Amino acid sequence: PRPRELPAEHARARIAAKLFGAPLPAAPLGAYEVLGEIGRGGMGVVHEGRGPGGRRVALKTLRRPDPAAIQRVHDQLFRGGSP
């Protein structure tokens, strides 16, 4: 799918969740499933996710993925957390 385009099944499930309170299925993000939002900050949003093999992960999506922002996320990853 193109960026920001959801598969039809997921789009229908999101509508049902909003209208009828149905549980929202996990959204795909590459090889990961987005389970919910953990928090928001100046750089972007951190989601709870499930990786290959069922491992729980944190997924950070950037508002503006410019080279400086990507470098900051890389530094956070190898430093072991947010500043």
Side-chain angles (χ1 to χ4, degrees), residues 9-22:
E9 310 86 51
H10 191 70
R12 282 193 291 275
R14 289 183 68 88
I15 292 168
K18 284 199 181 263
L19 292 175
F20 309 113

mmCIF file with all atom_site columns, all heavy atoms in Angstrom, residues 9-22:
data_model
loop_
_atom_site.group_PDB
_atom_site.id
_atom_site.type_symbol
_atom_site.label_atom_id
_atom_site.label_alt_id
_atom_site.label_comp_id
_atom_site.label_asym_id
_atom_site.label_entity_id
_atom_site.label_seq_id
_atom_site.pdbx_PDB_ins_code
_atom_site.Cartn_x
_atom_site.Cartn_y
_atom_site.Cartn_z
_atom_site.occupancy
_atom_site.B_iso_or_equiv
_atom_site.pdbx_formal_charge
_atom_site.auth_seq_id
_atom_site.auth_comp_id
_atom_site.auth_asym_id
_atom_site.auth_atom_id
_atom_site.pdbx_PDB_model_num
ATOM 1   N N   . GLU A 1 9  ? -9.787  -3.860 4.777  1.00 0.00 ? 9  GLU A N   1
ATOM 2   C CA  . GLU A 1 9  ? -10.317 -4.537 5.969  1.00 0.00 ? 9  GLU A CA  1
ATOM 3   C C   . GLU A 1 9  ? -10.031 -3.720 7.224  1.00 0.00 ? 9  GLU A C   1
ATOM 4   O O   . GLU A 1 9  ? -10.850 -3.613 8.126  1.00 0.00 ? 9  GLU A O   1
ATOM 5   C CB  . GLU A 1 9  ? -9.708  -5.936 6.156  1.00 0.00 ? 9  GLU A CB  1
ATOM 6   C CG  . GLU A 1 9  ? -9.730  -6.829 4.953  1.00 0.00 ? 9  GLU A CG  1
ATOM 7   C CD  . GLU A 1 9  ? -8.529  -6.602 4.050  1.00 0.00 ? 9  GLU A CD  1
ATOM 8   O OE1 . GLU A 1 9  ? -7.380  -6.613 4.510  1.00 0.00 ? 9  GLU A OE1 1
ATOM 9   O OE2 . GLU A 1 9  ? -8.765  -6.406 2.856  1.00 0.00 ? 9  GLU A OE2 1
ATOM 10  N N   . HIS A 1 10 ? -8.823  -3.159 7.283  1.00 0.00 ? 10 HIS A N   1
ATOM 11  C CA  . HIS A 1 10 ? -8.455  -2.384 8.472  1.00 0.00 ? 10 HIS A CA  1
ATOM 12  C C   . HIS A 1 10 ? -9.254  -1.080 8.523  1.00 0.00 ? 10 HIS A C   1
ATOM 13  O O   . HIS A 1 10 ? -9.688  -0.657 9.593  1.00 0.00 ? 10 HIS A O   1
ATOM 14  C CB  . HIS A 1 10 ? -6.954  -2.108 8.495  1.00 0.00 ? 10 HIS A CB  1
ATOM 15  C CG  . HIS A 1 10 ? -6.498  -1.567 9.801  1.00 0.00 ? 10 HIS A CG  1
ATOM 16  N ND1 . HIS A 1 10 ? -6.469  -2.328 10.936 1.00 0.00 ? 10 HIS A ND1 1
ATOM 17  C CD2 . HIS A 1 10 ? -6.097  -0.329 10.163 1.00 0.00 ? 10 HIS A CD2 1
ATOM 18  C CE1 . HIS A 1 10 ? -6.059  -1.582 11.950 1.00 0.00 ? 10 HIS A CE1 1
ATOM 19  N NE2 . HIS A 1 10 ? -5.832  -0.366 11.502 1.00 0.00 ? 10 HIS A NE2 1
ATOM 20  N N   . ALA A 1 11 ? -9.467  -0.456 7.387  1.00 0.00 ? 11 ALA A N   1
ATOM 21  C CA  . ALA A 1 11 ? -10.255 0.775  7.348  1.00 0.00 ? 11 ALA A CA  1
ATOM 22  C C   . ALA A 1 11 ? -11.679 0.502  7.820  1.00 0.00 ? 11 ALA A C   1
ATOM 23  O O   . ALA A 1 11 ? -12.239 1.273  8.622  1.00 0.00 ? 11 ALA A O   1
ATOM 24  C CB  . ALA A 1 11 ? -10.252 1.358  5.945  1.00 0.00 ? 11 ALA A CB  1
ATOM 25  N N   . ARG A 1 12 ? -12.277 -0.587 7.377  1.00 0.00 ? 12 ARG A N   1
ATOM 26  C CA  . ARG A 1 12 ? -13.639 -0.940 7.825  1.00 0.00 ? 12 ARG A CA  1
ATOM 27  C C   . ARG A 1 12 ? -13.669 -1.213 9.329  1.00 0.00 ? 12 ARG A C   1
ATOM 28  O O   . ARG A 1 12 ? -14.592 -0.809 10.024 1.00 0.00 ? 12 ARG A O   1
ATOM 29  C CB  . ARG A 1 12 ? -14.145 -2.154 7.057  1.00 0.00 ? 12 ARG A CB  1
ATOM 30  C CG  . ARG A 1 12 ? -14.623 -1.819 5.658  1.00 0.00 ? 12 ARG A CG  1
ATOM 31  C CD  . ARG A 1 12 ? -15.396 -2.970 5.045  1.00 0.00 ? 12 ARG A CD  1
ATOM 32  N NE  . ARG A 1 12 ? -14.558 -4.121 4.751  1.00 0.00 ? 12 ARG A NE  1
ATOM 33  C CZ  . ARG A 1 12 ? -13.850 -4.280 3.647  1.00 0.00 ? 12 ARG A CZ  1
ATOM 34  N NH1 . ARG A 1 12 ? -13.877 -3.355 2.700  1.00 0.00 ? 12 ARG A NH1 1
ATOM 35  N NH2 . ARG A 1 12 ? -13.117 -5.346 3.461  1.00 0.00 ? 12 ARG A NH2 1
ATOM 36  N N   . ALA A 1 13 ? -12.655 -1.892 9.838  1.00 0.00 ? 13 ALA A N   1
ATOM 37  C CA  . ALA A 1 13 ? -12.603 -2.201 11.269 1.00 0.00 ? 13 ALA A CA  1
ATOM 38  C C   . ALA A 1 13 ? -12.466 -0.928 12.102 1.00 0.00 ? 13 ALA A C   1
ATOM 39  O O   . ALA A 1 13 ? -13.060 -0.816 13.172 1.00 0.00 ? 13 ALA A O   1
ATOM 40  C CB  . ALA A 1 13 ? -11.443 -3.154 11.560 1.00 0.00 ? 13 ALA A CB  1
ATOM 41  N N   . ARG A 1 14 ? -11.696 0.052  11.614 1.00 0.00 ? 14 ARG A N   1
ATOM 42  C CA  . ARG A 1 14 ? -11.556 1.331  12.329 1.00 0.00 ? 14 ARG A CA  1
ATOM 43  C C   . ARG A 1 14 ? -12.885 2.068  12.386 1.00 0.00 ? 14 ARG A C   1
ATOM 44  O O   . ARG A 1 14 ? -13.241 2.650  13.403 1.00 0.00 ? 14 ARG A O   1
ATOM 45  C CB  . ARG A 1 14 ? -10.488 2.193  11.680 1.00 0.00 ? 14 ARG A CB  1
ATOM 46  C CG  . ARG A 1 14 ? -9.078  1.682  11.880 1.00 0.00 ? 14 ARG A CG  1
ATOM 47  C CD  . ARG A 1 14 ? -8.062  2.616  11.265 1.00 0.00 ? 14 ARG A CD  1
ATOM 48  N NE  . ARG A 1 14 ? -8.009  3.881  11.978 1.00 0.00 ? 14 ARG A NE  1
ATOM 49  C CZ  . ARG A 1 14 ? -7.241  4.130  13.037 1.00 0.00 ? 14 ARG A CZ  1
ATOM 50  N NH1 . ARG A 1 14 ? -6.454  3.186  13.501 1.00 0.00 ? 14 ARG A NH1 1
ATOM 51  N NH2 . ARG A 1 14 ? -7.250  5.297  13.613 1.00 0.00 ? 14 ARG A NH2 1
ATOM 52  N N   . ILE A 1 15 ? -13.643 2.034  11.301 1.00 0.00 ? 15 ILE A N   1
ATOM 53  C CA  . ILE A 1 15 ? -14.957 2.682  11.271 1.00 0.00 ? 15 ILE A CA  1
ATOM 54  C C   . ILE A 1 15 ? -15.899 1.987  12.256 1.00 0.00 ? 15 ILE A C   1
ATOM 55  O O   . ILE A 1 15 ? -16.594 2.642  13.033 1.00 0.00 ? 15 ILE A O   1
ATOM 56  C CB  . ILE A 1 15 ? -15.532 2.687  9.845  1.00 0.00 ? 15 ILE A CB  1
ATOM 57  C CG1 . ILE A 1 15 ? -14.688 3.610  8.967  1.00 0.00 ? 15 ILE A CG1 1
ATOM 58  C CG2 . ILE A 1 15 ? -16.994 3.120  9.852  1.00 0.00 ? 15 ILE A CG2 1
ATOM 59  C CD1 . ILE A 1 15 ? -14.969 3.483  7.483  1.00 0.00 ? 15 ILE A CD1 1
ATOM 60  N N   . ALA A 1 16 ? -15.917 0.649  12.256 1.00 0.00 ? 16 ALA A N   1
ATOM 61  C CA  . ALA A 1 16 ? -16.768 -0.100 13.184 1.00 0.00 ? 16 ALA A CA  1
ATOM 62  C C   . ALA A 1 16 ? -16.394 0.192  14.629 1.00 0.00 ? 16 ALA A C   1
ATOM 63  O O   . ALA A 1 16 ? -17.264 0.319  15.500 1.00 0.00 ? 16 ALA A O   1
ATOM 64  C CB  . ALA A 1 16 ? -16.671 -1.596 12.894 1.00 0.00 ? 16 ALA A CB  1
ATOM 65  N N   . ALA A 1 17 ? -15.106 0.332  14.899 1.00 0.00 ? 17 ALA A N   1
ATOM 66  C CA  . ALA A 1 17 ? -14.661 0.626  16.267 1.00 0.00 ? 17 ALA A CA  1
ATOM 67  C C   . ALA A 1 17 ? -15.181 1.990  16.711 1.00 0.00 ? 17 ALA A C   1
ATOM 68  O O   . ALA A 1 17 ? -15.651 2.150  17.839 1.00 0.00 ? 17 ALA A O   1
ATOM 69  C CB  . ALA A 1 17 ? -13.140 0.582  16.342 1.00 0.00 ? 17 ALA A CB  1
ATOM 70  N N   . LYS A 1 18 ? -15.104 2.983  15.822 1.00 0.00 ? 18 LYS A N   1
ATOM 71  C CA  . LYS A 1 18 ? -15.586 4.325  16.174 1.00 0.00 ? 18 LYS A CA  1
ATOM 72  C C   . LYS A 1 18 ? -17.101 4.349  16.331 1.00 0.00 ? 18 LYS A C   1
ATOM 73  O O   . LYS A 1 18 ? -17.624 4.975  17.238 1.00 0.00 ? 18 LYS A O   1
ATOM 74  C CB  . LYS A 1 18 ? -15.142 5.335  15.131 1.00 0.00 ? 18 LYS A CB  1
ATOM 75  C CG  . LYS A 1 18 ? -13.698 5.711  15.242 1.00 0.00 ? 18 LYS A CG  1
ATOM 76  C CD  . LYS A 1 18 ? -13.450 7.005  14.516 1.00 0.00 ? 18 LYS A CD  1
ATOM 77  C CE  . LYS A 1 18 ? -11.996 7.364  14.611 1.00 0.00 ? 18 LYS A CE  1
ATOM 78  N NZ  . LYS A 1 18 ? -11.707 8.293  15.665 1.00 0.00 ? 18 LYS A NZ  1
ATOM 79  N N   . LEU A 1 19 ? -17.820 3.681  15.443 1.00 0.00 ? 19 LEU A N   1
ATOM 80  C CA  . LEU A 1 19 ? -19.281 3.733  15.469 1.00 0.00 ? 19 LEU A CA  1
ATOM 81  C C   . LEU A 1 19 ? -19.897 2.857  16.550 1.00 0.00 ? 19 LEU A C   1
ATOM 82  O O   . LEU A 1 19 ? -20.870 3.254  17.195 1.00 0.00 ? 19 LEU A O   1
ATOM 83  C CB  . LEU A 1 19 ? -19.844 3.318  14.110 1.00 0.00 ? 19 LEU A CB  1
ATOM 84  C CG  . LEU A 1 19 ? -19.591 4.270  12.943 1.00 0.00 ? 19 LEU A CG  1
ATOM 85  C CD1 . LEU A 1 19 ? -20.102 3.656  11.651 1.00 0.00 ? 19 LEU A CD1 1
ATOM 86  C CD2 . LEU A 1 19 ? -20.259 5.616  13.201 1.00 0.00 ? 19 LEU A CD2 1
ATOM 87  N N   . PHE A 1 20 ? -19.361 1.653  16.733 1.00 0.00 ? 20 PHE A N   1
ATOM 88  C CA  . PHE A 1 20 ? -20.017 0.671  17.589 1.00 0.00 ? 20 PHE A CA  1
ATOM 89  C C   . PHE A 1 20 ? -19.194 0.234  18.798 1.00 0.00 ? 20 PHE A C   1
ATOM 90  O O   . PHE A 1 20 ? -19.614 -0.643 19.532 1.00 0.00 ? 20 PHE A O   1
ATOM 91  C CB  . PHE A 1 20 ? -20.387 -0.566 16.756 1.00 0.00 ? 20 PHE A CB  1
ATOM 92  C CG  . PHE A 1 20 ? -21.138 -0.229 15.500 1.00 0.00 ? 20 PHE A CG  1
ATOM 93  C CD1 . PHE A 1 20 ? -20.564 -0.440 14.263 1.00 0.00 ? 20 PHE A CD1 1
ATOM 94  C CD2 . PHE A 1 20 ? -22.405 0.327  15.558 1.00 0.00 ? 20 PHE A CD2 1
ATOM 95  C CE1 . PHE A 1 20 ? -21.242 -0.121 13.100 1.00 0.00 ? 20 PHE A CE1 1
ATOM 96  C CE2 . PHE A 1 20 ? -23.094 0.654  14.399 1.00 0.00 ? 20 PHE A CE2 1
ATOM 97  C CZ  . PHE A 1 20 ? -22.518 0.427  13.167 1.00 0.00 ? 20 PHE A CZ  1
ATOM 98  N N   . GLY A 1 21 ? -18.021 0.824  18.984 1.00 0.00 ? 21 GLY A N   1
ATOM 99  C CA  . GLY A 1 21 ? -17.193 0.440  20.120 1.00 0.00 ? 21 GLY A CA  1
ATOM 100 C C   . GLY A 1 21 ? -16.555 -0.930 19.962 1.00 0.00 ? 21 GLY A C   1
ATOM 101 O O   . GLY A 1 21 ? -16.138 -1.537 20.945 1.00 0.00 ? 21 GLY A O   1
ATOM 102 N N   . ALA A 1 22 ? -16.498 -1.404 18.735 1.00 0.00 ? 22 ALA A N   1
ATOM 103 C CA  . ALA A 1 22 ? -15.875 -2.710 18.483 1.00 0.00 ? 22 ALA A CA  1
ATOM 104 C C   . ALA A 1 22 ? -14.377 -2.613 18.762 1.00 0.00 ? 22 ALA A C   1
ATOM 105 O O   . ALA A 1 22 ? -13.786 -1.549 18.643 1.00 0.00 ? 22 ALA A O   1
ATOM 106 C CB  . ALA A 1 22 ? -16.113 -3.126 17.027 1.00 0.00 ? 22 ALA A CB  1
#
